Amino acid sequence: MAALVATEVAASPDPAEAAETAEAAELSRVLSRMLPGLEADSKLGRRRALEALQRTLEAARPEAPDGDPAAAAAAFQGPWARLLLPRLLRCLADPAEGCRALAVHLLDLGLRRAARPRDALPRLLPALAARLAGPEPARRPPPEVCEELRLALVQLLHLAVRLSGAALAPHLDDAVRVLRCTLLDPFAAVRRESCECAAGLARATPDHFHMQSESLIGPLMQSISHQHWKVRVAVIEATGTVIQFGSGKSVDDVLPHFAQRLFDDVPQVRQAVARVVGGWLLHLRDRYSFLHKLIPLLLSSLDDEIPEIACEAAGLWEQVGLRWQMENEEDLKDKLDFAGPPPAHHPSPGSRPGLGCRELVFRNLSKILPAICHDITDWVVATRVKSAQLLAVLLLHAEGHITQHLEPVLRTLLHACADEEKAVVRSCTRSAELIGTFVSPEVFLKLILSMLRKSPSPSGLLVFASIIRGCPREALRPHVKVIAVELAHAHICQGSENVQEALAELAAVESMDGSQDLFRAHVGALLERLAASHRDWTGHSMGFLQFDVVLAHSGPALGEALPQLVPILRSCLQPARDPPMRLKLFSTLSGLLLGARETVDSQGQFHGYLDTLIKDIFVPNLQWHAGRTAAAIRTAAVSCLWALVSSGVLSDEQIQEVQEMLMPQILTTLEEDSQMTRLISCRIINVFLKTSDGVIDADKFIKIYPELLKRLDDVSNEVRLAATTSLVTWLERVGNEAGKCYYQSNIQHLYRELLVYLDDPESAIQDAVLEALKAGSVLFPDLLVREMEAVLHKHRSPTHCEQLLQHLQALPPAP
């Protein structure tokens, strides 16, 4: 009997199931009539079939007759999965764009109506990958050419992620392959939707996503600098979620890009960075490994120019400190139980950072400071400004712990306070004040005074003044005398800054007409005073800097002070002295010699010191020594010599004296690596040859032209032209010699070599060599004709040889 009852019960259908089955059967019947139209040959036929399907699905009641939405979804599931889904997926590849758009819309509608949308994933994900990624997403454009359809397809993927959740895990490969392509899509809206989809995918599959997350970081970072700020914000937010639910290994790849976005012109982008970094510091699983890298990014936002961003960053930082404090409560037990008040001279005791925040900075400061000290000298102004601001924030948190990092911080501040950017200097003086507040005077005085003794500078004094300003008076009082004594030293208090204004004021007090009269009255006594210490000078010595100022501004007064001036120059320019000082002094001396009549020779007495200048200054500094520094000094000395011989202050006889003493050294400098040295040396030799009167020693004279001839192979055309000009002068000089026959073999060799360069690829060199040969043709014209005939057939063009031959034919016959 029981079996009979059970059989009857089983045989009698449930009314709800029957209704569901009937509805599904009716829908299947309706769809079956429409689906063949999707296979029509004509585009219009396929489109009409899709439109009919759209009307049917949109007109169908979303609920079953009894009002149960689950029953309606269950009734839709069968026909959807069996009949509609496969055909709509095939329509995604329809040649007609309108048909593809209708297919995407119907797929969206079907996923929302179906009871088990996850069942569509095995077919849907490969189809989406085929349309959006193709076989090689990194190399080919996606098969779907319409950007609006690509956006709709990514939205469809995002919908599938939301509806399917963890069921997407087996299909992560396809989903990630799609996103790697669409994150780089040319259409900005596609990139934004892809970012949201990537974040949704990470949240939906937390147990599996870490295996694929790293492959999304590359495309995300390529989009983080997109021209649309909304895309940049979406990328930053998506990156935060991808790393939060993915692999922490990607943090190192992302942080440089995030740091650049802190300089973004759009506030929303900077705000997104602060939110994501703050979220990582609060929730990232491996955050303790990245604290020293994440903390600077969040703290940099505390000084954002938009108050709302700075306020939000401060709130996030406070939460980070409280969470770290709670997680490390046992380690901080003593500090929490015996917490003292803020330091008496704390700059903002009411808003002192919490213990967790202070401890986080202190424990990571040794890892953060080197990067800050490096970036504060960066060539980009914005980087320097941001780094200087961050340094002040770090020091405010570190408080007394600054002491163990004081030396590198002071070195950085001394350098940064010389910055031309006022914002950098302003932040650095703030940092110096904090050092004065939190560090004992015994400690900071020992370091800062030592630095000032070694290299006094305006920036060093500015840092020192700021430290003193931040130091409590009662703590500083016992050290006032030491500070005053150090500041009174000449190398500190006698700086050369603002010298023009000071000289003008002093001249006014003395009732003199400008600084020139002032120097004329006092330059002798001033040089005598400087002479007392000149043997100890270096390029950074205050005495040398003052001497350089005297040389640059004394003008005609120098001509009256040669007895005091020349001994100092001779001593300071010896090869054993400081190279930077010698370079600077040669540069200043060159300027004086170029205008010698208005400076050192204003009284016409300079010639009396010429011998000292040549023998004791030029000769030792033109000697060859190995190294770049020595080469730079030779270049400076050659430039100075050129200023002397081209100034017009020397007579021909005096230039002749210079030539006799310095010609061997100048011939040597023709081989220098410096193009400028070689060029100036050629010009000096030309002046020597032009102004040499009387008989020249033949053996010395013959040694000149081979060195000049070598310069015709120089890499610089300017040097080649200068060497050719000097050869012209040399040939003219031979023509003035009574015994020119003595030079015949040398002239023949020179003819032969110059004829080679007459066919040079550079037309300017050809023209210059032609002029040289014309100048030398009067010496041995028949010899030149024979040499020219021997090489004429080798020249690419006979033009210049013919011009030279015409010139030779026009010469008067030899007597």
Side-chain angles (χ1 to χ4, degrees), residues 539-595:
H540 300 288
S541 298
M542 191 54 63
F544 170 68
L545 296 176
Q546 292 173 344
F547 179 63
D548 190 62
V549 170
V550 170
L551 294 182
H553 294 85
S554 294
L558 290 176
E560 304 173 9
L562 292 177
Q564 296 88 10
L565 174 62
V566 174
I568 298 178
L569 289 173
R570 180 177 56 200
S571 174
C572 291
L573 289 172
Q574 291 307 300
R577 299 300 297 274
D578 182 53
M581 178 182 70
R582 291 160 63 201
L583 283 171
K584 174 62 177 172
L585 202 49
F586 266 126
S587 176
T588 303
L589 185 57
S590 296
L592 295 178
L593 293 176
L594 279 173

Side-chain angles (χ1 to χ4, degrees), residues 627-794:
R628 294 183 179 178
T629 301
I633 289 175
R634 290 194 298 275
T635 299
V638 168
S639 301
C640 195
L641 177 60
W642 171 245
L644 175 63
V645 299
S646 64
S647 64
V649 75
L650 300 182
S651 65
D652 289 352
E653 293 78 9
Q654 291 168 339
I655 293 180
Q656 176 67 19
E657 294 176 13
V658 175
Q659 178 263 327
E660 290 175 355
M661 289 187 281
L662 293 182
M663 181 63 88
Q665 287 84 358
I666 296 302
L667 290 176
T668 302
T669 58
L670 285 172
E671 301 287 345
E672 289 284 346
D673 291 337
S674 167
Q675 174 187 327
M676 182 61 66
T677 306
R678 302 194 304 272
L679 176 62
I680 296 175
S681 299
C682 289
R683 292 173 176 172
I684 290 174
I685 292 172
N686 192 43
V687 172
F688 283 169
L689 293 173
K690 281 186 174 181
T691 54
S692 296
D693 293 329
V695 179
I696 303 177
D697 182 271
D699 291 336
K700 294 181 179 178
F701 186 70
I702 287 175
K703 293 179 181 178
I704 297 175
Y705 88 88
E707 302 301 324
L708 292 172
L709 200 55
K710 292 177 186 177
R711 289 305 98 214
L712 292 186
D713 287 323
D714 201 280
V715 295
S716 166
N717 284 339
E718 195 174 5
V719 174
R720 299 175 74 194
L721 291 172
T724 307
T725 302
S726 298
L727 283 171
V728 171
T729 307
W730 188 88
L731 288 166
E732 292 172 347
R733 188 67 199 171
V734 172
N736 295 333
E737 293 292 322
K740 67 178 181 179
C741 292
Y742 176 79
Y743 301 100
Q744 182 170 350
S745 61
N746 300 98
I747 299 299
Q748 183 177 9
H749 174 70
L750 183 56
Y751 283 163
R752 192 172 298 156
E753 294 296 322
L754 287 176
L755 285 169
V756 172
Y757 296 102
L758 192 61
D759 195 38
D760 194 88
E762 295 289 336
S763 59
I765 302 298
Q766 288 180 306
D767 295 339
V769 171
L770 177 61
E771 295 305 315
L773 287 168
K774 287 180 179 179
S777 63
V778 298
L779 299 175
F780 305 102
D782 295 338
L783 183 61
L784 178 57
V785 169
R786 290 198 300 273
E787 293 293 335
M788 182 172 58
E789 290 173 347
V791 299
L792 181 59
H793 67 282
K794 300 179 182 179

Side-chain angles (χ1 to χ4, degrees), residues 19-34:
E20 177 183 321
T21 303
E23 185 177 353
E26 176 62 21
L27 182 59
S28 297
R29 186 179 61 78
V30 173
L31 292 177
S32 297
R33 290 200 307 266
M34 298 179 180

Side-chain angles (χ1 to χ4, degrees), residues 504-621:
E505 292 178 7
L506 186 56
V509 171
E510 295 274 340
S511 301
M512 294 180 176
D513 187 15
S515 61
Q516 296 292 327
D517 291 342
L518 187 66
F519 275 109
R520 186 173 288 110
H522 300 286
V523 70
L526 182 56
L527 287 174
E528 288 180 0
R529 178 180 176 184
L530 291 172
S533 62
H534 76 275
R535 298 186 186 281
D536 300 321
W537 287 350
T538 67
H540 300 288
S541 298
M542 191 54 63
F544 170 68
L545 296 176
Q546 292 173 344
F547 179 63
D548 190 62
V549 170
V550 170
L551 294 182
H553 294 85
S554 294
L558 290 176
E560 304 173 9
L562 292 177
Q564 296 88 10
L565 174 62
V566 174
I568 298 178
L569 289 173
R570 180 177 56 200
S571 174
C572 291
L573 289 172
Q574 291 307 300
R577 299 300 297 274
D578 182 53
M581 178 182 70
R582 291 160 63 201
L583 283 171
K584 174 62 177 172
L585 202 49
F586 266 126
S587 176
T588 303
L589 185 57
S590 296
L592 295 178
L593 293 176
L594 279 173
R597 297 191 188 281
E598 290 77 35
T599 55
V600 292
D601 198 41
S602 62
Q603 306 300 311
Q605 301 299 315
F606 181 68
H607 64 276
Y609 299 89
L610 184 61
D611 193 62
T612 299
L613 187 68
I614 300 303
K615 292 181 179 179
D616 296 341
I617 294 179
F618 284 119
V619 169
N621 282 285

Side-chain angles (χ1 to χ4, degrees), residues 318-335:
E318 184 178 0
Q319 293 177 43
V320 170
L322 289 172
R323 172 142 190 178
W324 187 88
Q325 179 178 317
M326 181 180 64
E327 293 170 346
N328 297 269
E329 191 170 1
E330 188 65 29
D331 190 24
L332 301 174
K333 189 173 187 307
D334 291 344
K335 294 183 179 180

